[in-house]
Amino acid sequence: MVGLFLFNIAERVLEKIALLAGEVLLAFSVKSDLRKLQDTMSSIKAVLLDAERQQHQNEKLRLCMWKLRDIFYDVEDVLDEFECEALRKQIANHPCISVKALKLSYHHLPSPLQRCLAFLSLYEKDHIYYDDDVIQFWMANGLLEYPKQNQEWEDVGGRYLNELRSRCFIQDADYGGFKMHDLIHDLALDVSQKECKTLYRQTENVDEKVRHVSFCDDQSFIKVPLVLKESKHVRTIIAQNLSKELKTIDKSFIKFCVSNFKYLRALDLSYSSLKALPNSVGTLKHLRYRDLSSSRIRKLPSSFYKLRSLQTLRMWDTTLKRLPDNMQSLIRLRYLEITIEATHLKEIRPGCWSSLQYLGLLGCGNLECLFEGMQYLTSLRTLYVAGCSKLVRLPRSLKFLTKLEHLHILRCRAINLHMEPEEKEDQDLALSLKTFSIWGLEALTDLPRLLLEGSARTLQCIQINICGKFEVLPEWLRSLTSLQKLEIRYCPKLTSLLEGMGRLTALRQLKVEGCPTLSERCQRDGGEDWPNFHKSERLRLVADN
């Protein structure tokens, strides 16, 4: 069995060598070395199946094959690093050659990844993309493969992005985003020209077969009715870099979209001057993605509930008064991000928003409490609450959200998270939190024991940042046996760690910053808390002086 497993690894390594022997590495004069490596690996592969038959009678051979497995993995890792470095050098030093080489790499991508990469051409060069936004766009246009068992569409999109990163088609940027090198962007433009079109002021016409359109300046947007009058099958419209003063984005533009693009799936009018939507917007029955963030929208039309295919609604930094009463009929909604002026939110009814994966409440300055009926958000995986200055607590109904993985609370200055187990059922919760992050909670004195201790087997990361009144780490923190990262920043009243923190055997990183007394206690030379950790070989302790 080990031999057959090794045989498969060997095949994969040989395929990678064959790929690297192409044009990407010609400029590095290593083709002959790769051929030697290929011959060596082929020889090893030839004897592996015979070794598979003999290993059962030879213990030394079996152990040798396990070591050989590790060598193959190491070779594959080195080749991956080599491929990324070669691609980076080609782009930096040989632009005239690299476009052709990039096309070779592009054509080795699986077909779904090719389409997803091409879609990114709709944005200008140097644009910073964000994972969630890109994945939602891909989903809206049906670019993702069907999820496997126990996976969600968002998991498939995340896998695609990781694959593109590993192949160096995209690279990480600041603030958790990513970028494409200019040559990669040129490649995306080249391979997407039949489906995607970016309009500039000099654009005169658009092929009627184009499906995805973006506008990069005010003048290109003004010309929309003229250049798109024959394009009846547009599925995506993205407005970027438009000035707030542009008056063209009004109800008439939406009416143009409604009457001309009945198959529209994604509409991004963020950062626009749009103040209202026409009631006819409810006829866009195929619409899956809508971004109205940083617009001047104050009210959604009564027909909004008819957008039953809608999966993503982003409306942060708006002056929206309230959500329509019938909005909970959007049962396919998976991503909801809003800013609202209301003090209370409508109660969630059973069966409503049962597909919701992400809920973000941002800058809701008047909001005093979250939704009643939060327990019905049975698919929710991320809850993000920021800038809700009057919010004082989280609802206990969060304990029923067994799929919740990420909880982020930021800049909610009145909130305290005291939440203790009170009922018998609270003792045996099987929650799934992986990340708990708080930032700028001025009134915080307690952590939500009910949620964190209920996630003891899954919680991997806790971040406590800028909480001026937080003084003591709770004793029950020692029960979080899966905790790998604990970060404490700018909590000046927190003066010591827990005794027995060494019981957190999974802990790999402890970061202390901006906590004068605690930082001193964690110093390697004479710090009072240092003995609790110095014996751990895997723990990385970072404490400022």
Side-chain angles (χ1 to χ4, degrees):
M1 188 66 188
V2 179
L4 188 59
F5 185 58
L6 270 169
F7 187 85
N8 292 333
I9 303 174
E11 279 195 326
R12 195 165 69 235
V13 170
L14 286 168
E15 287 173 1
K16 188 173 286 291
I17 294 173
L19 173 61
L20 289 176
E23 297 182 38
V24 173
L25 297 183
L26 287 179
F28 294 82
S29 303
V30 294
K31 190 172 182 180
S32 60
D33 295 325
L34 282 173
R35 184 155 295 173
K36 291 178 183 177
L37 179 60
Q38 187 175 26
D39 291 342
T40 301
M41 291 296 175
S42 296
S43 300
I44 295 173
K45 177 184 169 186
V47 301
L48 283 176
L49 289 180
D50 183 57
E52 163 74 7
R53 291 189 290 269
Q54 298 183 35
Q55 64 166 316
H56 302 294
Q57 290 82 35
N58 192 324
E59 179 65 16
K60 288 184 178 179
L61 177 61
R62 189 180 69 82
L63 294 174
C64 224
M65 290 180 71
W66 278 111
K67 291 181 180 179
L68 191 58
R69 180 204 64 165
D70 293 336
I71 292 173
F72 267 114
Y73 274 129
D74 290 342
V75 170
E76 188 174 31
D77 290 342
V78 170
L79 290 173
D80 279 343
E81 288 291 331
F82 194 25
E83 181 180 17
C84 285
E85 181 63 14
L87 189 55
R88 185 190 66 79
K89 287 184 177 180
Q90 280 292 95
I91 290 173
N93 303 325
H94 305 276
C96 57
I97 302 174
S98 60
V99 172
K100 193 173 181 181
L102 287 172
K103 273 197 173 182
L104 178 66
S105 296
Y106 171 80
H107 288 303
H108 279 88
L109 287 174
S111 178
L113 263 70
Q114 290 183 14
R115 294 185 65 197
C116 287
L117 181 66
F119 192 87
L120 298 182
S121 68
L122 286 169
Y123 295 90
E124 288 191 298
K125 288 182 178 179
D126 293 323
H127 179 78
I128 295 181
Y129 306 84
Y130 293 95
D131 289 16
D132 284 351
D133 200 23
V134 168
I135 291 171
Q136 297 301 318
F137 252 121
W138 287 347
M139 287 170 52
N141 283 285
L143 302 183
L144 303 180
E145 296 171 293
Y146 199 85
K148 297 178 181 178
Q149 190 175 9
N150 298 323
Q151 278 193 333
E152 298 289 348
W153 292 101
E154 291 80 1
D155 299 324
V156 178
R159 177 164 54 84
Y160 284 13
L161 287 173
N162 289 337
E163 183 75 8
L164 291 174
R165 283 188 175 94
S166 71
R167 294 172 183 252
C168 304
F169 282 100
I170 60 177
Q171 55 194 21
D172 290 335
D174 294 336
Y175 307 110
F178 68 87
K179 297 177 69 174
M180 287 198 299
H181 189 280
D182 286 354
L183 283 173
I184 300 289
H185 192 275
D186 289 341
L187 169 69
L189 282 172
D190 182 62
V191 299
S192 67
Q193 55 186 317
K194 291 183 180 180
E195 286 197 28
C196 303
K197 182 70 175 179
T198 301
L199 303 187
Y200 298 91
R201 64 183 63 197
Q202 65 268 27
T203 304
E204 295 297 333
N205 54 69
V206 175
D207 191 301
E208 63 180 27
K209 294 182 180 179
V210 164
R211 295 291 188 270
H212 313 288
V213 180
S214 67
F215 312 95
C216 286
D217 54 50
D218 291 2
Q219 292 301 314
S220 68
F221 195 84
I222 291 171
K223 295 163 64 176
V224 168
L226 178 63
V227 299
L228 293 179
K229 61 183 179 180
E230 301 299 329
S231 304
K232 302 297 183 183
H233 300 286
V234 171
R235 290 188 169 195
T236 300
I237 288 182
I238 300 172
Q240 50 185 325
N241 299 335
L242 302 184
S243 66
K244 282 278 189 179
E245 290 69 36
L246 184 64
K247 304 301 182 185
T248 308
I249 303 184
D250 54 20
K251 286 186 178 182
S252 64
F253 172 75
I254 305 297
K255 289 178 180 178
F256 174 79
C257 292
V258 170
S259 60
N260 286 269
F261 311 138
K262 65 178 182 179
Y263 298 107
L264 195 64
R265 292 189 173 202
L267 180 59
D268 182 352
L269 298 178
S270 55
Y271 299 95
S272 73
S273 58
L274 188 65
K275 295 181 179 179
L277 298 173
N279 214 42
S280 58
V281 73
T283 64
L284 294 174
K285 61 182 181 181
H286 298 283
L287 195 66
R288 290 164 168 76
Y289 179 103
R290 180 154 216 149
D291 191 345
L292 297 168
S293 300
S294 283
S295 66
R296 300 174 183 175
I297 295 286
R298 295 181 63 84
K299 182 181 179 182
L300 294 174
S302 59
S303 65
F304 203 81
Y305 77 96
K306 295 181 180 179
L307 301 175
R308 294 189 177 90
S309 296
L310 198 66
Q311 297 174 343
T312 301
L313 177 61
R314 305 184 71 210
M315 291 190 67
W316 54 267
D317 190 25
T318 66
T319 55
L320 189 66
K321 291 292 186 181
R322 62 182 182 87
L323 293 176
D325 293 341
N326 50 18
M327 190 171 158
Q328 291 190 35
S329 63
L330 303 179
I331 59 175
R332 291 190 178 181
L333 198 63
R334 302 177 69 87
Y335 191 104
L336 176 61
E337 194 171 54
I338 57 172
T339 299
I340 197 165
E341 294 186 354
T343 58
H344 293 76
L345 299 170
K346 294 287 184 180
E347 181 177 357
I348 299 172
R349 300 187 302 272
C352 297
W353 292 352
S354 57
S355 298
L356 197 66
Q357 303 277 312
Y358 177 99
L359 174 61
L361 299 168
L362 312 179
C364 305
N366 298 322
L367 193 64
E368 296 176 0
C369 60
L370 300 188
F371 294 96
E372 292 293 331
M374 287 282 288
Q375 66 269 24
Y376 299 122
L377 301 181
T378 53
S379 297
L380 193 67
R381 297 206 293 180
T382 301
L383 176 60
Y384 193 101
V385 183
C388 300
S389 56
K390 293 185 179 180
L391 188 66
V392 295
R393 66 177 61 88
L394 294 178
R396 291 184 63 85
S397 55
L398 293 181
K399 70 180 183 179
F400 297 109
L401 302 184
T402 56
K403 292 187 178 181
L404 187 65
E405 296 179 350
H406 308 288
L407 178 58
H408 306 279
I409 315 292
L410 290 75
R411 302 189 312 278
C412 297
R413 62 190 183 197
I415 199 169
N416 192 20
L417 298 178
H418 181 81
M419 195 183 296
E420 292 288 315
E422 295 177 357
E423 305 171 51
K424 186 177 180 180
E425 63 182 18
D426 295 344
Q427 305 300 323
D428 300 309
L429 294 180
L431 303 181
S432 305
L433 272 181
K434 295 180 180 179
T435 304
F436 173 72
S437 175
I438 54 178
W439 189 92
L441 308 190
E442 297 177 13
L444 180 90
T445 58
D446 300 284
L447 300 180
R449 178 179 185 178
L450 182 66
L451 303 180
L452 302 189
E453 199 172 33
S455 304
R457 297 180 180 179
T458 60
L459 190 60
Q460 299 172 11
C461 176
I462 294 179
Q463 297 172 309
I464 307 171
N465 301 304
I466 315 179
C467 298
K469 293 186 178 181
F470 188 64
E471 298 181 3
V472 180
L473 289 172
E475 295 286 336
W476 51 262
L477 195 71
R478 292 192 293 255
S479 67
L480 306 183
T481 54
S482 296
L483 190 64
Q484 298 177 17
K485 179 180 179 180
L486 175 60
E487 181 178 297
I488 305 169
R489 300 175 65 246
Y490 297 99
C491 300
K493 291 190 176 182
L494 184 61
T495 58
S496 65
L497 298 174
L498 286 173
E499 290 186 12
M501 287 279 284
R503 298 179 197 173
L504 299 175
T505 55
L507 193 64
R508 297 292 174 265
Q509 182 176 345
L510 173 60
K511 184 173 183 179
V512 179
E513 181 182 351
C515 309
T517 303
L518 181 57
S519 294
E520 186 176 341
R521 290 176 62 97
C522 292
Q523 294 303 311
R524 290 176 178 270
D525 299 322
E528 293 180 54
D529 284 328
W530 173 246
N532 291 323
F533 303 103
H534 77 284
K535 294 182 180 180
S536 176
E537 297 179 357
R538 297 184 178 183
L539 176 64
R540 179 169 174 259
L541 175 58
V542 180
D544 60 354
N545 294 318

